[in-house]
Amino acid sequence: MSARIVYGSVSGLSRLMVLVVVFVVLAAPPAHASEARTVPEEVARVLRAVQASTNPAEQWAILAAYQGKPHALVALARGHAQSILGHEPEATQEYRDALRLDPSLHEAALALARQSAAHEAWAEAIQLLAAHCDPATADAPALMLYAQAALGMNDLRLATVLDQQALARFPADQGVRRLDVAVLTRSGRSAEAAVAARGALAHDPQNADLWRQLAWAEQDRGDQQAALAALEAAWLVSQEPFDRRRLADAQLGSGQPQAALVNFRVLATASLDAKSIDPPLLLAAARAAAEAGDTPQALAWLDRVPEESRTRHARLFAARIALRAGDTAAAANALEPLLAAGELDPGVLVWAGAIADKSGAWERAEALYRQAVAAAGQGTGAARLHLADLLVRHDRLDEARVVLREELSADPADTQARSMLEVLSVGGLRPPNIGLRPAPQEETGR
């Protein structure tokens, strides 16, 4: 005795049931089957038993107990069961067995393609989909998977073709609408992407993904305010910390530190309360606090960044904030690990020297200035000027003149060096104090 088994795509159905994808009919062929096959009765019996159960563990036990001749549909069902139980490597092997037993079993190929896409193995996914997914007849989830794989391979031509096919066949499908926005954005057609995203949002305003896609599109076309509004909408819809962080970063980047600080304060507090230190978050929050004028809060957050997570740029930022608070000792301490590690940037060395000079450690300052002069790169001119200034203030005028002549030899257009040297040539006169060098530009983890 045999049975006819009908199956279609599982991708658009619930994964709460292992074999919603298969339906066994013992009599006439079904009216709405995507594909029908004749299978042995023992296979049909197992599949009927699996479909009668709603317990994934029980379903797997039924399938594992099958001892008959290997069959592609049993392997396919086992793959679905293993996947639902979270056993992805085992599921992959079952799907491969199913495809080996029946190379025309498209559902096994689609299941493997979904797994490949989940691991961003786009080339494998594309190979499977090209052989087993006909864009003219595939359902919407399969088409979207195919287009996603094309985007993963950066094949914008194929992604656009699949996107247009999906739009033509499933114009009301919200997943297809989101796909269209993604393809348009990746293709650099940001204005069209924004229009598409707003059209989709008119039907699904509570979809955070669509708001995120709209934000990306608006950002790409240069409308910062519209992007910020979309990011805020995404956060309001999702209430996810990820969206709040993106909003805070965007607010900070667009010159709205006060608004950013409100969001960073919530995020940083939650991170610290959970004893889950997020150094990039704390650095960004500190930057927002500093730009918003809340120096004590910036210092407090910087103090919570673990020592091993303090990058070069973070230390420069910490030194600048410490100076803003009038704490030259803290600024010097922030720079010390960089100096100990052999910092070579003349700008940083001059800045550290100026801080030491201001603190009264002039010998340390002189050493740092001379180190900066010896270093290659932009900033050696400033190092000579600061060194000459220090030498003048300690009545080492001949040495100062030598340093200034060296600077004019290296840069004849340095009017400040020339002016200082001319003043020194007049007995009894001293050039004006240069003062503390401004902080070098630093990044803070954005």
Side-chain angles (χ1 to χ4, degrees):
M1 183 177 180
S2 65
R4 290 179 64 82
I5 184 162
V6 181
Y7 61 92
S9 171
V10 74
S11 56
L13 305 176
S14 169
R15 287 173 58 85
L16 296 177
M17 294 286 290
V18 176
L19 281 176
V20 175
V21 65
V22 294
F23 180 72
V24 178
V25 183
L26 295 177
H32 301 290
S34 60
E35 190 168 349
R37 294 175 183 238
T38 299
V39 299
E41 173 56 28
E42 60 179 346
V43 172
R45 188 183 307 115
V46 169
L47 297 182
R48 280 198 301 268
V50 171
Q51 287 185 295
S53 173
T54 58
N55 183 310
E58 182 181 11
Q59 291 171 330
W60 169 247
I62 294 169
L63 290 163
Y66 174 74
Q67 297 296 318
K69 183 179 179 180
H71 197 281
L73 290 176
V74 174
L76 174 64
R78 283 175 170 171
H80 289 332
Q82 292 280 33
S83 182
I84 289 174
L85 292 171
H87 305 154
E88 292 302 326
E90 292 83 356
T92 299
Q93 186 55 55
E94 294 288 357
Y95 291 141
R96 293 194 188 283
D97 288 344
L99 203 55
R100 175 179 53 79
L101 290 165
D102 183 354
S104 67
L105 188 56
H106 301 314
E107 176 54 36
L110 290 176
L112 282 172
R114 284 192 291 273
Q115 288 187 317
S116 298
H119 293 92
E120 297 187 359
W122 303 118
E124 182 179 2
I126 281 286
Q127 184 178 10
L128 288 162
L129 290 162
H132 294 274
C133 179
D134 181 354
T137 59
D139 63 9
L143 266 176
M144 288 188 290
L145 176 64
Y146 202 169
Q148 179 191 12
L151 286 176
M153 291 292 290
N154 203 32
D155 188 341
L156 297 179
R157 183 203 61 79
L158 178 58
T160 300
V161 169
L162 294 168
D163 174 41
Q164 293 303 310
Q165 185 81 258
L167 278 174
R169 294 182 54 216
F170 308 103
D173 189 290
Q174 286 300 302
V176 170
R177 286 173 174 266
R178 290 194 295 275
L179 166 67
D180 185 42
V181 178
V183 172
L184 289 170
T185 301
R186 282 285 298 277
S187 300
R189 297 156 63 185
S190 52
E192 294 173 72
V195 171
R198 292 186 187 282
L201 282 165
H203 298 277
D204 191 8
Q206 296 302 306
N207 191 306
D209 279 337
L210 280 173
W211 285 113
R212 294 178 192 122
Q213 287 180 301
L214 176 59
W216 291 328
E218 295 291 11
Q219 178 73 36
D220 192 56
R221 73 189 191 98
D223 193 335
Q224 185 65 33
Q225 292 308 309
L228 279 172
L231 286 172
E232 187 163 10
W235 147 243
L236 291 172
V237 168
S238 74
Q239 295 293 297
E240 291 287 339
F242 163 79
D243 285 309
R244 189 163 206 161
R245 173 65 187 277
R246 287 197 65 219
L247 174 61
D249 284 337
Q251 289 170 328
L252 184 57
S254 63
Q256 301 181 35
Q258 294 286 359
L261 181 57
V262 171
N263 288 308
F264 275 124
R265 196 182 298 277
V266 174
L267 293 165
T269 300
S271 173
L272 294 171
D273 287 348
K275 296 182 173 56
S276 175
I277 303 297
D278 183 347
L281 169 63
L282 291 178
L283 288 169
R287 178 169 172 255
E291 293 190 13
D294 193 343
T295 301
Q297 180 63 81
L299 289 170
W301 279 330
L302 285 171
D303 189 55
R304 298 298 298 273
V305 177
E307 183 66 25
E308 63 274 12
S309 298
R310 299 189 182 191
T311 64
R312 176 180 184 276
H313 297 307
R315 293 187 188 282
L316 293 175
F317 175 62
R320 180 164 65 86
I321 299 305
L323 283 179
R324 182 180 295 180
D327 192 342
T328 53
N333 288 338
L335 294 176
E336 188 56 38
L338 300 181
L339 303 176
E343 177 65 43
L344 297 176
D345 184 340
V348 174
L349 293 170
V350 170
W351 192 38
I355 292 172
D357 196 1
K358 186 176 182 180
S359 302
W362 68 268
E363 291 177 329
R364 170 71 166 159
E366 180 181 353
L368 288 167
Y369 291 149
R370 290 191 183 280
Q371 189 176 345
V373 168
Q378 187 176 4
T380 53
R384 291 191 184 92
L385 291 177
H386 276 74
L387 177 57
D389 177 70
L390 181 146
L391 293 170
V392 167
R393 285 185 281 111
H394 289 84
D395 290 323
R396 296 160 62 183
L397 304 186
D398 289 341
E399 292 178 72
R401 292 187 186 96
V402 170
V403 171
L404 290 169
R405 290 190 183 102
E406 288 176 352
E407 171 58 16
L408 286 171
S409 176
D411 181 9
D414 189 334
T415 56
Q416 189 171 7
R418 188 174 302 281
S419 175
M420 290 176 67
L421 187 59
E422 288 174 354
V423 171
L424 284 176
S425 66
V426 180
L429 294 183
R430 298 287 188 275
N433 194 308
I434 291 177
L436 181 61
R437 178 173 175 78
Q441 294 296 314
E442 81 289 328
E443 300 171 19
T444 55
R446 261 198 310 165

